[in-house]
Amino acid sequence: MLMLFAMLVMVTGTEFEAQAVYCTPLQIFQQTCNAGGDDGIDVGGEVTWPGEEPAAPDPGHPAPNPVGEVPGAPENPAPPPTTVDDCTRGQDDLSGNCVIDFPEAPEDPEEPFVPTIPAITVTDVASFAPAPTSPTIEPFGIAILGAPMNVAMGAETQTVGGALFGLPMAVTFVPELYTVDYGDGTVIETTTGSGTWGELGQAQLTATPTSHAYQARGTYAVSIDVSYSATVDFGVWGTYPVDGFVVTGGPGVDVRVFEHTSALVDRTCIEDPLGPGCAAV
């Protein structure tokens, strides 16, 4: 390194003492050291006579920087970027180094919600059960003593939406069994239901799978109970069968039983209003 050397001659009585003052090129450029020259530039160090204490530094004239240091350099410069690609993703700071922006690590995804679904009973889905079934009585809602009357009935598969255990669901009911109560103590069961005489292609007063012949006159209430199997669908959480049958009891429908009497006569009631079985006009 180029050094500027100057000699200052100081006189103490008859003795001479020389003190060397050194300035770096950077100090000279910054005008902080002139090696004792008289050009108006403050000397970057204090020259004293032998035996004198050095004076305190002038606040207006800071001491020169140590040799080799550059004013304004950061004490802890930022480390260089890891790769060139990292550097292009960031911005330069004041030191010229690259500031790398690393994305935050994603949080752990939450565990999917899996509900605990207990065994489903008939009571759980009773409020969703299909409406009761009413029978159709032939002929014309009456019966003739000793002759077959017909009971027509039927039910369809039904699906009802709603919520169960706080979860959305759909419950499907499938008719499995029909129980017919004729009101005179006679009860039958069938798995298929039955149609009218016309739907079955049969003549009136003929026997069908659900027909019945009353043995006494009077009024009887005929009712139909339908037993459904049920399945609950919770969507992504699975399908669950219902333990047991859901039974809907139908209302009773009155049937009047008449006695039919026939007689062989010579003339009709029009010809002989007072004849047997004819009412007087």
Side-chain angles (χ1 to χ4, degrees), residues 62-214:
N65 295 312
V67 177
E69 289 192 7
V70 179
E75 295 182 0
N76 298 311
T82 305
T83 64
V84 175
D85 291 339
D86 291 336
C87 190
T88 58
R89 289 199 296 269
Q91 297 177 351
D92 291 342
D93 62 12
L94 296 178
S95 65
N97 292 307
C98 177
V99 178
I100 303 173
D101 295 329
F102 292 102
E104 295 182 0
E107 297 181 359
D108 293 336
E110 296 183 1
E111 292 293 332
F113 172 69
V114 179
T116 300
I117 300 175
I120 305 173
T121 65
V122 170
T123 303
D124 295 325
V125 298
S127 61
F128 304 100
T133 299
S134 296
T136 299
I137 307 298
E138 294 181 311
F140 311 110
I142 64 172
I144 298 174
L145 187 66
M149 50 82 72
N150 184 43
V151 179
M153 76 285 192
E156 297 180 352
T157 298
Q158 301 181 39
T159 299
V160 182
L164 186 62
F165 308 134
L167 303 172
M169 63 87 195
V171 54
T172 300
F173 297 94
V174 179
E176 303 285 354
L177 183 69
Y178 300 86
T179 302
V180 184
D181 187 342
Y182 294 98
D184 64 349
T186 303
V187 178
I188 67 168
E189 293 181 344
T190 177
T191 59
T192 59
S194 183
T196 63
W197 279 317
E199 291 171 344
L200 297 173
Q202 296 182 210
Q204 292 188 0
L205 302 180
T206 59
T208 69
T210 55
S211 64
H212 179 62
Y214 290 96

